[in-house]
């Protein structure tokens, strides 16, 4: 259980760092780029991949993830800045419904009563959580960020499930390959901003990237270790991780950052937790 708690702490810390980035004028594109650079280093030091595995031709799935990861990371940061940690965390965590829908519509898996109930409650949770008494064009734009986070992380989850099916190289080595591709994509972005937009490369963004990369990699490492430690109970890892991030992230957002929540937003929070519990039960009992 300690691995799950550490993974939750790392995940919420990433959100907090992205929240603070705006206050201290940290460049997100540069920070995310160096985040992947340090994640690659940590990956080599921790997983010790074989060189011959790294030189295999990357699967199209790897390339898709290499592009999507930094892109959705930028939208994640924008969502946290504009609507807060709580609502963004809920949108991110409830993106797990997209792979469930994909499994039903694309792979014709059975959609039982519990799973269907969880999905319906989850959709209601997203709608209730994101409702905000704000009008105008800015409100519509702010809505886009968590929606893109929701769709983006759901798509990423589907792609990572496909990566886990690849037998030719270890999953941890695949992670390093994907991080490397994400770093290259991000590097092209900051080179564009530097050469075309004349944006300065600053040391503070490199340092922040190191910190962000440490916690981002820690989240992945502890989550994988949690699944190893509780190999017979993957649903427990799934439930505690998602619920823990929502609860802990909500406490940080509401108490520390004073994020405003209406009554219907609180109802959305409760529905999100209920939905995750029901989805977890559907995994255990296959109903």
């Amino acid at each position: 259980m300690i691995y799950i708690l550490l993974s939750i702490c790392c995940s919420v810390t990433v959100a907090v760092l992205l929240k603070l980035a705006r206050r201290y004028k940290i460049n997100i594109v540069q920070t995310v780029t160096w985040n992947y650079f340090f994640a690659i280093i940590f990956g080599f030091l921790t997983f010790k991949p074989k060189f011959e595995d790294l030189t295999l031709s990357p699967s199209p799935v790897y390339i898709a993830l290499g592009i999507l990861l930094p892109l959705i990371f930028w939208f994640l940061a924008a969502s946290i800045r504009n609507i807060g940690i709580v609502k963004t965390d809920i949108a991110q965590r409830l993106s797990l419904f997209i792979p469930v829908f994909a499994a039903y519509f694309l792979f014709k898996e059975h959609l039982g009563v519990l799973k269907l109930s969880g999905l319906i409650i989850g959709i209601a949770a997203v709608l209730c959580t994101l409702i905000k008494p704000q009008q105008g064009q800015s409100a519509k734009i702010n809505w886009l960020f968590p929606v893109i986070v929701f769709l983006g992380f759901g798509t990423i989850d589907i792609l990572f499930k496909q990566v886990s099916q690849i037998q030719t190289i270890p999953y941890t080595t695949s992670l390093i390959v994907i991080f490397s591709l994400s770093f290259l994509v991000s590097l092209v972005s900051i080179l564009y901003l530097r050469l075309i937009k004349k944006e300065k490369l600053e040391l503070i963004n490199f340092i922040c990237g190191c910190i962000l990369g440490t916690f981002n990699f820690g989240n992945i490492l502890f989550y994988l270790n949690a699944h190893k430690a509780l190999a017979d109970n993957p649903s427990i890892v799934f439930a505690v991780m998602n619920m823990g991030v929502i609860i802990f992230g909500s406490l940080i957002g509401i108490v520390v950052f004073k994020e405003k929540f209406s009554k219907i937003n609180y109802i959305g929070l409760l529905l999100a937790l209920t939905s995750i519990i029901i989805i977890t039960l559907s995994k255990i009992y296959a109903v």
Side-chain angles (χ1 to χ4, degrees):
M1 194 62 72
I2 185 65
Y3 289 127
I4 301 177
L5 294 176
L6 288 171
S7 183
I8 290 171
C9 289
C10 287
S11 179
V12 174
T13 301
V14 168
V16 171
L17 291 172
L18 293 175
K19 178 80 173 180
L20 293 172
R22 185 178 191 175
R23 180 181 300 179
Y24 296 102
K25 295 181 173 57
I26 303 300
N27 185 295
I28 289 297
V29 175
Q30 291 183 31
T31 301
V32 168
T33 301
W34 302 124
N35 147 78
Y36 287 117
F37 175 73
F38 284 101
I40 295 167
I41 294 174
F42 293 140
F44 272 100
L45 294 175
T46 306
F47 302 133
K48 298 178 174 57
K50 295 179 180 178
F51 179 76
E52 55 268 25
D53 290 336
L54 292 169
T55 55
L56 292 173
S57 298
S59 162
V61 178
Y62 290 177
I63 296 172
L65 280 168
I67 295 170
L68 268 179
L69 281 177
L71 186 63
I72 298 304
F73 214 141
W74 297 333
F75 279 106
L76 177 70
S79 182
I80 289 172
R81 288 199 308 271
N82 286 277
I83 70 164
I85 293 174
V86 184
K87 296 179 180 182
T88 302
D89 271 344
I90 291 174
Q92 180 183 351
R93 292 297 150 182
L94 291 185
S95 65
L96 60 93
F97 299 134
I98 293 177
V100 176
F101 276 120
Y104 176 72
F105 289 107
L106 298 180
F107 307 111
K108 307 302 179 183
E109 289 187 12
H110 175 64
L111 194 62
V113 176
L114 274 179
K115 194 172 290 185
L116 181 60
S117 301
L119 289 173
I120 293 171
I121 294 172
I123 292 170
V126 172
L127 294 175
C128 290
T129 303
L130 298 182
I131 287 176
K132 187 175 182 180
Q134 180 183 2
Q135 303 298 325
Q137 189 65 28
S138 61
K140 295 178 182 178
I141 294 173
N142 287 344
W143 257 83
L144 282 176
F145 296 128
V147 169
I148 292 173
V149 167
F150 176 79
L151 296 173
F153 274 101
T155 304
I156 286 169
D157 195 16
I158 293 172
L159 293 174
F160 266 120
K161 279 182 170 56
Q162 291 183 317
V163 170
S164 68
Q165 304 300 316
I166 296 174
Q167 302 295 324
T168 52
I169 63 175
Y171 183 74
T172 50
T173 303
S174 294
L175 284 177
I176 296 174
V177 174
I178 293 165
F179 288 153
S180 299
L181 292 170
S182 294
F183 174 66
L184 290 175
V185 170
S186 301
L187 194 60
V188 169
S189 300
I190 63 171
L191 286 175
Y192 168 80
L193 293 174
R194 176 69 185 95
L195 298 174
I196 307 300
K197 300 293 184 178
K198 307 302 180 183
E199 192 175 86
K200 292 182 179 179
L201 298 177
E202 297 178 309
L203 179 61
I204 185 63
N205 297 318
F206 181 82
I207 296 171
C208 289
C210 171
I211 299 170
L212 186 67
T214 300
F215 285 103
N216 199 20
F217 183 80
N219 175 32
I220 295 169
L221 178 63
F222 293 131
Y223 187 67
L224 291 175
N225 285 338
H227 272 291
K228 287 181 182 178
L230 298 169
D232 296 329
N233 298 286
S235 293
I236 292 178
V237 179
F238 170 87
V240 176
M241 179 65 191
N242 285 289
M243 291 177 64
V245 169
I246 290 176
I247 293 171
F248 190 29
S250 297
L251 288 173
I252 296 292
I254 295 169
V255 176
V256 178
F257 293 104
K258 310 298 181 184
E259 293 179 4
K260 294 180 180 179
F261 246 43
S262 64
K263 289 182 180 179
I264 196 166
N265 293 154
Y266 281 112
I267 292 172
L269 176 59
L270 291 174
L271 288 175
L273 296 173
T274 302
S275 177
I276 289 171
I277 292 172
I278 292 174
I279 291 291
T280 304
L281 290 174
S282 74
K283 290 174 174 287
I284 295 173
Y285 298 109
V287 177

